[in-house]
Amino acid sequence: NPEIELRPHQRNAVARILYGKNALLAHEVGAGKTFTMAAAAMELRRIGLCSKPLFVVPNHLTGQWASEWLRLYPAANLLVATKRDFERRNRRRFCARIASGDWDGVIMGHTQFEKIPVSVERQRAFIESQIAELSDGIAEIKAQHGERFSVKQMEITKKRLNVRLAKFADQTDKDDVLTFEELGVDRIFVDEAHYYKNLFFHTKMRNVSGIAQSEAMKSSDLFMKCRILDEQTGGRGTVFATGTPVSNSMAELYTMQRYLQYGELERLGFSHFDCWASTFGETVTALELAPEGTGYRQKTRFSRFYNLPELMSMFKQVADVQTADTLALPTPKVHLRNVAVQPSPVQRELVAGLAERAEAVRAGSVPAEKDNMLLITNDGRKIALDQRLADPALPDFEGSKVNACCENVLRIWRDGAEERLTQLVFCDLSTPKGDGSFNVYDDLRRKLVARGVPEGEVAFIHDTDTEAKKLALFGKVNAGAVRILMGSTQKMGAGTNVQRRLAAIHDLDCPWRPADLQQRLGRIERQGNMNAEVEAYRYVTEGTFDAYLYQLVEGKQRFIAQVMTSKSPVRTAADVDEAALSYAELKALATGNPLVKERMGLDVEVSRLRMLKADHLAQKYALEDKA
């Protein structure tokens, strides 16, 4: 389409995909990754470097991807998977269409991609290699007289893999569908690749936050398919794209390298996580708020990087990192507004009750199936949002977060009546179930309608159960017919393009990952917004679980910002990023007294520095003796 001109960073990324090996487009949210990948696929086809590219995108974005591609290349020959294509009776026919057709691109959802099997022989070989790896690890720990707990955990994992291996002996129930190797696909493009971060790796580290001990089957499946393409194409068959490649922990950087740089990791001796971690990372023990919001505890996290320039130069062999400061996209200026509300007397009582429950769980006086930290955590988040989520019979507290949000939404709705400006309200908890039970969504809509907002101007993203309905709703929001749209990060995050008239977003609760806050902000801080300045509201209930969550997000954001930077990285990550400062400010608002936490943190830091000094002097004296 001659009317569309790609930006310089998009053209550079296309060139990188054409001339380089596997690639990761780590471009800022809203930087136009869809056009970049579509253009790369068409160019690869045009010059004969690829015959059949397969695009794996979030399930709800398949239709949007196809329409965007056809906007850029109106004559493209695309095959787009629908839900019906992957029903058991149709899957075989659809896979045959992929294999026999000459397609510029095949587009399917993440879950559909998982349903295309890899050959049994390859799956068996893959699991056998994992079992061999675990056996080596167990033997090594035993030889070093390591922790019995680590050995036990690895034995459990090995047993689980042996059960999976045994299942391959019985293939009677499998449908006779073409395997991935038989489709003729020689490139895969994976959009929102951070959804595949839970990839299996064995490690001797236990009980360290930031290192997942579980695996997701979809991640293992993708890893196998990446290895197949590496063998077929000489390490140039995979392109990942995500605005948040490191969304939660340091281990995700290693996971991305395993997908895209497996050969390079093996060459450098970093194919085992423990080797990689000992070269580039360090575990740090620090005091932090306890999840129930009262008191502090010690926690070990993977939170410090060393040798960052070397790590990033290796990572940037595949990663094209483009941050907001380098792109200078024409996006509106965002004003962050932190709204702190006081808890009600009932909320204070409920939080105190959580502390008692947590003590009972730690002391082991209640069975895990009756009460555990996960249940307490979820209850804590609900209490921080609205006391009626703990008990619907409780009264509506006038000073709650929901009521504070209602006032702001109403004011902006009135102020923007002439231009029909729109707003988004994000809330991951208390989504509407349709069973008449209390939820924050219906409560907020009822209050807005009672104050004069027409019911048709308030919509829930959860009411759209098909791709067509969702696109129709997005059109209404962009036109200003629907002026207040409510939804969760999962349903209203990546791929939601409703920025045309967007004046404000409201975060009613804090998500688990900084990436989710980034995705929320990316809905409004985006090209194509008619407003020059916009607002982002974040609501916090002081003295509740909000404090713990924002602390968690702050810690994660701090190191992510040091890795995903356009500047040359420091040798040791220690700086605080601007976004982290605003999270820290929120944390202080929620804790009530930030000085207590600061004092405890400083005590730990002083003792760490004393140990470092003692170690340094010991080394110095040893060297003097040698000399």
Side-chain angles (χ1 to χ4, degrees):
N1 183 346
E3 290 179 10
I4 298 172
E5 189 177 341
L6 296 183
R7 292 179 172 273
H9 77 272
Q10 291 174 304
R11 291 201 295 274
N12 291 341
V14 171
R16 186 181 188 127
I17 292 167
L18 292 180
Y19 305 129
K21 293 206 166 190
N22 292 340
L24 165 66
L25 304 182
H27 293 186
E28 187 73 18
V29 176
K33 294 184 284 292
T34 306
F35 277 1
T36 304
M37 291 201 281
M42 296 299 277
E43 280 299 293
L44 285 165
R45 289 256 303 161
R46 187 179 67 80
I47 58 182
L49 286 177
C50 157
S51 61
K52 193 173 294 174
L54 172 64
F55 281 70
V56 185
V57 308
N59 298 343
H60 64 285
L61 294 181
T62 48
Q64 194 172 306
W65 251 90
S67 60
E68 286 287 294
W69 192 324
L70 292 171
R71 195 154 72 86
L72 189 62
Y73 290 95
N77 183 25
L78 302 179
L79 177 63
V80 186
T82 64
K83 267 185 185 174
R84 290 185 62 192
D85 288 325
F86 274 84
E87 288 170 5
R88 189 157 183 166
R89 63 180 183 277
N90 301 328
R91 198 183 314 164
R92 191 174 165 191
R93 187 188 304 127
F94 185 78
C95 287
R97 283 184 72 195
I98 297 174
S100 59
D102 181 29
W103 309 106
D104 288 325
V106 179
I107 302 172
M108 65 176 64
H110 284 172
T111 51
Q112 295 166 335
F113 179 65
E114 210 183 331
K115 288 177 181 171
I116 296 176
V118 171
S119 64
V120 173
E121 297 75 29
R122 186 165 297 263
Q123 287 188 60
R124 188 180 283 124
F126 180 70
I127 292 173
E128 281 170 353
S129 73
Q130 285 189 337
I131 291 170
E133 237 179 72
L134 277 168
S135 300
D136 292 347
I138 291 165
E140 191 183 328
I141 293 174
K142 282 181 176 173
Q144 294 170 357
H145 304 291
E147 288 181 37
R148 289 221 316 259
F149 178 74
S150 297
V151 173
K152 191 177 176 184
Q153 292 293 106
M154 289 166 98
E155 289 283 9
I156 290 168
T157 311
K158 186 176 167 184
K159 195 174 180 181
R160 197 170 65 237
L161 288 172
N162 277 316
V163 170
R164 267 173 61 191
L165 196 62
K167 280 184 184 172
F168 289 124
D170 177 30
Q171 292 294 314
T172 50
D173 191 39
K174 297 285 177 189
D175 50 348
D176 183 24
V177 69
L178 288 175
T179 63
F180 178 74
E181 298 97 312
E182 294 168 328
L183 294 181
V185 168
D186 52 359
R187 272 293 161 132
I188 57 168
F189 291 76
V190 183
D191 190 26
E192 305 300 341
H194 57 271
Y195 289 136
Y196 291 93
K197 63 188 173 58
N198 290 334
L199 180 61
F200 172 84
F201 57 80
H202 88 262
T203 171
K204 288 177 280 187
M205 296 181 194
R206 296 286 156 193
N207 295 330
V208 176
S209 289
I211 299 177
Q213 303 297 345
S214 59
E215 65 166 329
M217 292 304 293
K218 66 176 185 180
S219 301
S220 295
D221 177 69
L222 176 64
F223 182 63
M224 272 192 282
K225 288 166 182 172
C226 288
R227 300 292 302 120
I228 292 166
L229 288 174
D230 276 352
E231 288 170 22
Q232 288 176 357
T233 63
R236 54 177 67 238
T238 312
V239 178
F240 279 11
T242 170
T244 49
V246 182
S247 64
N248 203 20
S249 79
M250 179 179 174
E252 288 168 30
L253 199 63
Y254 170 73
T255 297
M256 285 291 171
Q257 288 187 292
R258 278 190 83 201
Y259 280 126
L260 301 170
Q261 287 183 286
Y262 193 79
E264 182 70 2
L265 287 177
E266 280 195 322
R267 190 180 69 80
L268 295 168
F270 290 149
S271 56
H272 284 275
F273 176 73
D274 292 351
C275 301
W276 184 90
S278 63
T279 309
F280 299 118
E282 182 194 16
T283 55
V284 177
T285 302
L287 282 161
E288 60 178 42
L289 273 170
E292 60 273 15
T294 59
Y296 296 87
R297 63 171 188 184
Q298 283 209 333
K299 185 78 177 170
T300 303
R301 292 189 177 282
F302 221 150
S303 59
R304 186 164 287 140
F305 282 102
Y306 289 117
N307 303 324
L308 263 182
E310 289 80 7
L311 174 60
M312 291 317 293
S313 69
M314 181 165 76
F315 184 55
K316 285 183 179 177
Q317 288 173 17
V318 290
D320 182 37
V321 179
Q322 297 290 341
T323 55
D325 57 329
T326 56
L327 294 175
L329 298 171
T331 56
K333 185 181 180 190
V334 180
H335 298 285
L336 277 175
R337 313 267 190 238
N338 298 325
V339 181
V341 300
Q342 291 298 322
S344 70
V346 176
Q347 280 173 310
R348 287 185 206 275
E349 276 178 45
L350 290 167
V351 169
L354 290 181
E356 287 165 21
R357 279 172 61 192
E359 281 306 314
V361 168
R362 284 203 189 121
S365 54
V366 285
E369 59 275 8
K370 192 178 175 190
D371 202 7
N372 54 56
M373 285 311 291
L374 191 62
L375 287 172
I376 294 169
T377 301
N378 285 334
D379 289 348
R381 292 181 74 202
K382 288 175 184 173
I383 292 164
L385 180 59
D386 196 297
Q387 62 190 31
R388 289 169 294 172
L389 292 173
D391 180 0
L394 287 169
D396 179 12
F397 177 54
E398 205 175 307
S400 71
K401 280 203 292 192
V402 178
N403 287 325
C405 176
C406 181
E407 291 299 324
N408 285 328
V409 170
L410 203 62
R411 175 178 50 78
I412 296 162
W413 175 78
R414 285 181 183 137
D415 292 347
E418 201 175 314
E419 300 102 321
R420 299 201 66 76
L421 299 182
T422 58
Q423 302 175 68
L424 298 182
V425 180
F426 284 99
C427 185
D428 293 348
L429 287 169
S430 187
T431 51
K433 302 282 186 294
D435 57 2
S437 61
F438 172 79
N439 65 77
V440 167
Y441 282 68
D442 286 323
D443 185 57
L444 187 55
R445 176 159 67 180
R446 194 168 54 250
K447 285 171 180 169
L448 289 168
V449 171
R451 303 278 291 276
V453 179
E455 197 165 345
E457 289 188 13
V458 186
F460 300 162
I461 194 98
H462 302 79
D463 293 340
T464 56
D465 52 4
T466 65
E467 185 64 25
K469 284 182 186 174
K470 191 171 276 192
L471 286 173
L473 176 61
F474 291 172
K476 285 179 184 175
V477 177
N478 280 323
V482 170
R483 291 186 55 203
I484 299 159
L485 180 60
M486 299 167 66
S488 60
T489 318
Q490 184 70 27
K491 288 186 177 288
M492 208 163 67
T496 303
N497 295 327
V498 292
Q499 66 272 21
R500 181 84 190 99
R501 298 169 187 272
L502 214 49
I505 62 164
H506 305 263
D507 292 329
L508 260 181
D509 57 2
C510 178
W512 283 111
R513 302 171 303 186
D516 291 341
L517 274 177
Q518 240 176 308
Q519 287 289 358
R520 288 178 178 188
L521 201 58
R523 299 315 103 210
I524 194 165
E525 193 178 8
R526 205 174 186 83
Q527 299 174 74
N529 193 323
M530 61 188 249
N531 302 301
E533 296 191 14
V534 294
E535 294 176 312
Y537 289 85
R538 287 177 183 157
Y539 299 86
V540 176
T541 308
E542 287 188 5
T544 65
F545 194 73
D546 282 350
Y548 176 72
L549 264 187
Y550 275 108
Q551 168 186 273
L552 211 64
V553 170
E554 178 209 351
K556 292 171 184 175
Q557 177 60 34
R558 195 180 295 172
F559 90 78
I560 290 169
Q562 289 154 3
V563 177
M564 306 314 298
T565 175
S566 56
K567 305 172 185 77
S568 57
V570 290
R571 180 143 296 280
T572 305
D575 220 2
V576 180
D577 149 71
E578 262 180 67
L581 280 174
S582 68
Y583 299 146
E585 185 189 350
L586 277 168
K587 186 178 74 179
L589 288 172
T591 320
N593 183 6
L595 295 175
V596 181
K597 165 77 171 70
E598 193 181 339
R599 154 81 198 274
M600 298 178 94
L602 287 170
D603 284 348
V604 171
E605 184 64 11
V606 167
S607 61
R608 188 184 73 83
L609 291 170
R610 279 190 182 135
M611 280 173 65
L612 282 175
K613 183 186 177 186
D615 187 45
H616 168 73
L617 288 172
Q619 282 187 27
K620 185 182 163 189
Y621 297 147
L623 289 168
E624 279 177 0
D625 289 348
K626 251 188 186 173

